[in-house]
Amino acid sequence: MTMHPRFKLIAMCLAAAVFTAACGGGDEDPLPGDTTGDVVAKYIGSWESDCYEDSGASAKARADFTKTSATSFTGDVIAYAYVGTSCSGPSVKDEKVLTGLSMTHAGTKTLGGVTVDKFSGTSTQKNGKLVMYVNGNTLQLGDVDGPEDAEGYANAFYDSRYTLKRIQ
């Protein structure tokens, strides 16, 4: 089964952000959040997308982020594919989209009328830049395949299907 390009984009977008710990189809316990006032605190913990249709099957992504300092974090983003359209049963494929992620806060910018955080860093798969925004328990990521600003950061968010929600 070929993974839909959007499925890979979610991971790339998350990659330039902040991740840690292995994920497993949503079966692992979520990582704890961070209640400090550090700039990365709101991103720390586990996140998962809603189930979405992917080439006649279904898919979802999970990200786990662990704080390494007040301005940086590590983690992994893993995408899961399922037979059928409900993301139920065991995953038939997982793709380690971004592993060994290490991100550092690089400032803020305005995107879509909100102030987003900019991150730069590396993963096993690639180096990159990412913008992230948290509103309550919802995480939006900048579309890494869309238009970029002069510094190479996304100028648009991913489609709302690819929004991640905090796993409590």
Side-chain angles (χ1 to χ4, degrees), residues 124-156:
T124 302
Q125 291 76 14
K126 67 178 276 181
N127 297 341
K129 295 182 175 183
L130 178 66
V131 297
M132 299 172 68
Y133 173 70
V134 168
N135 183 7
N137 287 323
T138 302
L139 171 63
Q140 287 183 282
L141 303 169
D143 184 345
V144 297
D145 288 333
E148 298 177 345
D149 64 16
E151 294 180 323
Y153 290 97
N155 266 340

Side-chain angles (χ1 to χ4, degrees), residues 21-31 46-49 60-64 78-82 86-94 167-168:
C23 315
D27 293 338
E28 282 84 29
D29 290 335
L31 295 175
S46 296
W47 303 85
E48 189 172 62
S49 71
K60 64 181 174 180
R62 177 170 167 159
D64 290 291
I78 299 180
Y80 299 93
Y82 300 85
S86 64
C87 291
S88 61
S91 63
V92 295
K93 180 176 182 178
D94 64 64
I167 301 172
Q168 306 273 338

